[in-house]
Amino acid sequence: MLAPLPASALEINGQTSFVAVPTKARLVNYRWYAFEGGAIYYVVLDFPEGADAGLGGISLEQIRGVQPAFFYGAIPVKAFIGTPRREGQAIPAVAEFSNQARTVNVQFKEPVPPGNTVTVAFKAGTNPPSDLYTFTLAAIPFGPNPIPQVVGVVQMDILNAN
């Protein structure tokens, strides 16, 4: 179970927001080639101290790429404290994929306290065709009527095997 939050969430007009918005994120895939098997996409987010709200989830929207990165639809998702090769405590999470597989919303069942590095692993199985895949990433605070706040853009370069 995750530790309790030291402060309550910032609520304005019944909506939950961060005081300090996460600004550092990256997308990691240790499989670089088109159609390579065993692909897992890791979204790593540094959640800053002073956010004054727990992290309730993330949202990804694909804005570039020759095909949807999640072409095959919903895939297994796993979230945890730490980084891809230094996995820590599990975070219970559920994911919702859009019909066109261009957006993914991941919701955490418990708030993640500020000051942690959070990783969400998407077990894609097979990489898409070669291209530069670009996503906007938003952090979602935990609480009533959360206001998603844009973290930035993350990219994944899938190379041609030739």
Side-chain angles (χ1 to χ4, degrees):
M1 188 162 255
L2 299 173
L5 292 175
S8 59
L10 176 65
E11 288 188 41
I12 301 172
N13 296 326
Q15 293 186 295
T16 308
S17 180
F18 295 118
V19 172
V21 180
T23 57
K24 293 174 73 178
R26 58 200 172 279
L27 179 59
V28 179
N29 181 1
Y30 296 110
R31 307 286 183 177
W32 303 306
Y33 296 107
F35 308 110
E36 185 173 1
I40 302 173
Y41 311 150
Y42 299 97
V43 175
V44 183
L45 176 69
D46 294 330
F47 186 43
E49 291 284 348
D52 282 355
L55 182 64
I58 64 167
S59 177
L60 284 173
E61 181 179 356
Q62 184 176 340
I63 56 175
R64 183 176 191 275
V66 70
Q67 127 181 342
F70 301 104
F71 181 74
Y72 300 109
I75 56 172
V77 174
K78 178 175 155 183
F80 54 88
I81 302 292
T83 59
R85 294 198 171 157
R86 292 185 180 262
E87 186 175 326
Q89 180 180 356
I91 302 168
V94 294
E96 182 180 303
F97 293 81
S98 74
N99 290 339
Q100 295 81 24
R102 294 276 180 172
T103 61
V104 180
N105 291 311
V106 178
Q107 293 182 335
F108 303 143
K109 294 182 180 181
E110 301 172 8
V112 176
N116 285 293
T117 297
V118 177
T119 298
V120 178
F122 298 93
K123 295 183 180 184
T126 303
N127 275 337
S130 64
D131 201 0
L132 180 64
Y133 291 83
T134 307
F135 302 85
T136 58
L137 173 64
I140 303 167
F142 193 92
N145 300 315
I147 301 171
Q149 292 172 284
V150 175
V151 175
V153 174
V154 292
Q155 295 182 343
M156 173 176 68
D157 196 4
I158 300 296
L159 307 172
N160 199 344
N162 296 338

